[in-house]
Each structure stands twice: as C-alpha cells, then as structure tokens.
Amino acid sequence: MRRAERLFRIIQIMRTANGALTALQIAEKLEISKRSVYRDMAHLIGSGAPIDSEPGVGFMLRDEFDLPPLSFTFEQLEALALGAKTLALIADKDMSAAAKEALAKIRDAVPQSHQEKLDSPHLMVVPPQGITMPQKELRQARRAIDEKRILSVTYRALDDKVSERQLYPLALTNFGPIWLMTAWCVSRQDFRDFRMDRFDNMQVQLEKFTLAPHRTLETYLKRFEG
C-alpha cells in the first residue's frame, strides 16, 4: 500500500471511530506495524492534521475536522451503497476496506432518515460461492496499472498450456467471480484479456512502460464500437 493511500485511510478510520484509537488498533485495521503507524501519525500531525494524541489513550481527530456535506438523493445514495457493498465482497483486501470505509463515511454524512434506509436490508449482495479472489494478484495489478509498470507472469490457459508473458497492464474488469486483466501482450504484440485466477505467478517489474498510440486502452475499446 502506498504511503499516500495509507495516510488517507488512517484519516478515514479515525473519522469513523467512536473515540480514540490506539496505534495497535490502527495497525491491525491496516495490517501494518505499530512503528509505521507512529511514523504516519507524526507525518500527519506535522502536516497540520487536527489530531490529538495522548500516551496510554491513543489518537483522535478533533471536531474541527470534517468533510463538506453530501447532497444526494436517496436513490443516489442507495446506488453508491450497493456498489460499495459489492466491491467489498469481490475486491482485494485494500480495496474492500476502502469500500467499507466509504460506505461508513456516506452513512455518517446523511440525515438519520437516510441512515435508517441505508441500513435496511432490502438490497443485498451475495458473495460468490466457492471462489477465492486473487487477493495478492489484484493488489499487484492495481499498482502496476497505476504506476505503468511491466508485469512478468506465468499464465495457465483454459487448455492448461502454460506460457511466460510480459504484459503492459491496462485495466481490470469484474465478471462476478472472475476478474479479467486487459493488457498489451509483448510476446503476441496485441491486446489480450487474461483471467486473473489463471496466473500461476506474477511479478511487478521496476521497469515502466510507455504506450504507443495503437496500444492504449482507448484503442482496444474502439474494436468493440459500432
């Protein structure tokens, strides 16, 4: 998890907490060390974040910290909540946690009447049965797409043929229990879609890629127009 994302998530965790949080509690939620939490807290406080800390008690956001009020219709909130619930079930741990925090943030920012409607289980999401989401691979893929880093993968096709590929990852698409990665495949010199549950190995390289105009995601999507 990148530091900027970690700092943002610390703020969101503190914002939805009922009272002070210890470094251990924050560390457990983010699956990082207490030492990392203390370093991040020192950075946030030094940057001017309104955080109070007290030995033996923990860290707490002061009341002056808040976000602008949200102005949504209930249908819009319902759509956001359903999307967040779905993502919490099908994504990797980091994205799942972010979805849950976003849902809590939405709930805390709306009137009580909307909170009660959001809490009503009239729209439910059922997790895919018998499917283990590729947690590590999803995190690696999101990082590689964001940072434009080359992926080296061992791919097992549906006919069980195994091949080594170098990929320029472009996008991820979810189809219920299946995640697909769209990438420019160096060995095939063309776009390919890969099932992420068929990756036997994935390594994010230090080397970054640059995309020629004919290798972009927009070019790939144009194949399906008209």
Side-chain angles (χ1 to χ4, degrees):
M1 187 190 310
R2 290 171 300 167
R3 189 182 194 191
E5 181 181 354
R6 194 169 68 242
L7 295 174
F8 177 79
R9 288 188 57 190
I10 287 174
I11 291 293
Q12 296 311 308
I13 289 170
M14 295 180 67
R15 187 176 181 275
T16 57
N18 294 317
L21 289 174
T22 65
L24 177 59
Q25 289 173 315
I26 297 172
E28 288 176 345
K29 287 179 180 292
L30 293 176
E31 298 182 349
I32 60 177
S33 68
K34 285 175 41 178
R35 184 177 179 181
S36 294
V37 173
Y38 285 124
R39 284 201 303 264
D40 289 343
M41 284 300 183
H43 179 82
L44 286 168
I45 293 172
S47 299
I51 298 173
D52 290 327
S53 64
E54 183 176 341
V57 177
F59 301 94
M60 180 184 293
L61 278 177
R62 294 196 291 273
D63 290 340
E64 66 195 66
F65 180 84
D66 207 348
L67 296 176
L70 299 178
S71 179
F72 294 121
T73 66
F74 177 68
E75 287 74 18
Q76 292 168 339
L77 290 171
E78 193 173 46
L80 291 171
L82 185 62
K85 290 176 183 177
T86 302
L87 194 58
L89 293 174
I90 65 173
D92 58 78
K93 290 182 180 179
D94 290 345
M95 186 64 74
S96 176
K100 292 175 182 177
E101 290 163 8
L103 185 58
K105 177 178 170 182
I106 291 170
R107 189 185 180 282
D108 288 346
V110 299
Q112 185 175 357
S113 59
H114 278 15
Q115 290 181 8
E116 293 171 354
K117 289 181 180 180
L118 287 175
D119 291 340
S120 175
H122 62 288
L123 286 179
M124 295 179 284
V125 181
V126 179
Q129 299 299 310
I131 299 294
T132 301
M133 292 298 171
Q135 293 283 333
K136 179 181 177 183
E137 289 80 3
L138 280 172
R139 288 197 298 273
Q140 288 179 322
R142 290 196 296 108
R143 174 193 164 198
I145 291 170
D146 182 52
E147 298 179 2
K148 290 184 170 56
R149 295 194 182 274
I150 296 174
L151 288 177
S152 295
V153 304
T154 302
Y155 187 67
R156 182 168 40 88
L158 294 178
D159 60 3
D160 285 331
K161 289 183 179 179
V162 177
S163 59
E164 302 294 328
R165 308 285 186 103
Q166 269 205 336
L167 307 178
Y168 298 174
L170 303 176
L172 298 174
T173 306
N174 178 259
F175 293 90
I178 296 173
W179 279 92
L180 287 185
M181 175 192 290
T182 299
W184 176 265
C185 181
V186 175
S187 61
R188 300 297 188 268
Q189 283 296 293
D190 201 358
F191 298 104
R192 289 290 188 272
D193 290 311
F194 299 90
R195 281 181 51 160
M196 296 204 58
D197 59 324
R198 310 292 294 186
F199 286 140
D200 288 336
N201 183 47
M202 175 192 289
Q203 297 293 328
V204 180
Q205 303 301 311
L206 293 177
E207 183 182 358
K208 294 189 176 185
F209 62 85
T210 55
L211 291 171
H214 66 287
R215 296 178 182 177
T216 65
L217 181 62
E218 290 74 16
T219 302
Y220 172 72
L221 295 176
K222 285 180 179 178
R223 293 185 177 185
F224 304 97
E225 293 179 358

